[in-house]
Amino acid sequence: MDVVARHLAAIDRLRARDLPPGGAGHHTVELETGRPGTASDDFHAVREAMAQRLGARWGEAPPWGQLTLRLRLSRGERIPEPWATLCLRTDELDVWRTEEVWLAVGVADRDEADAIHLLATVTRTPPP
């Protein structure tokens, strides 16, 4: 199984999990992790390949830049989770509305001292 197919299978399992009770339930998983200092290009290429395959399922969607959310946070605006954490960890997300939940996929590479992570999040909370 190739890396994209493996990650898509993990996303399908994530979507099948019960979300915590309450309107703001969400799950975030690390699909892949690199060492600190690892180039993020490979992670972004995998994310883009996943976005193409997920776009075929649920429709094409342009990546969501996170700068506006970071600015809103810096001004003291309350951004709901998981979006507040995701905007601090990623520069952009691929986001789809799938049945009753939102799915977001992104590369957490903003902290050079931390490992790079390919993330997938499922939430009931719509993006702000």
Side-chain angles (χ1 to χ4, degrees):
M1 180 182 299
D2 72 26
V3 68
V4 172
R6 188 176 74 240
H7 293 329
L8 294 177
I11 285 171
D12 289 339
R13 288 190 302 274
L14 180 65
R15 290 181 55 244
R17 288 177 56 187
D18 288 333
L19 289 170
H26 65 274
H27 291 297
T28 298
V29 296
E30 294 176 0
L31 299 170
E32 191 170 336
T33 302
R35 296 183 318 262
T38 302
S40 63
D41 292 347
D42 291 341
F43 284 79
H44 286 283
V46 170
R47 181 191 59 81
E48 289 171 14
M50 291 172 58
Q52 288 178 347
R53 304 248 306 258
L54 291 168
R57 288 185 191 181
W58 299 305
E60 297 299 321
W64 291 35
Q66 300 299 294
L67 179 58
T68 300
L69 283 185
R70 285 195 295 275
L71 287 172
R72 290 168 57 188
L73 271 175
S74 73
R75 293 179 182 152
E77 185 175 339
R78 184 187 169 284
I79 304 296
E81 290 297 342
W83 307 107
T85 298
L86 290 171
C87 82
L88 294 173
R89 295 187 70 194
T90 66
D91 283 325
E92 64 182 24
L93 294 170
D94 294 297
V95 179
W96 295 269
R97 174 84 167 128
T98 69
E99 298 157 11
E100 302 203 6
V101 297
W102 292 88
L103 168 67
V105 177
V107 177
D109 62 351
R110 293 186 41 77
D111 184 349
E112 292 180 13
D114 191 13
I116 298 170
H117 304 280
L118 179 61
L119 304 175
T121 298
V122 174
T123 182
R124 288 188 197 101
T125 304

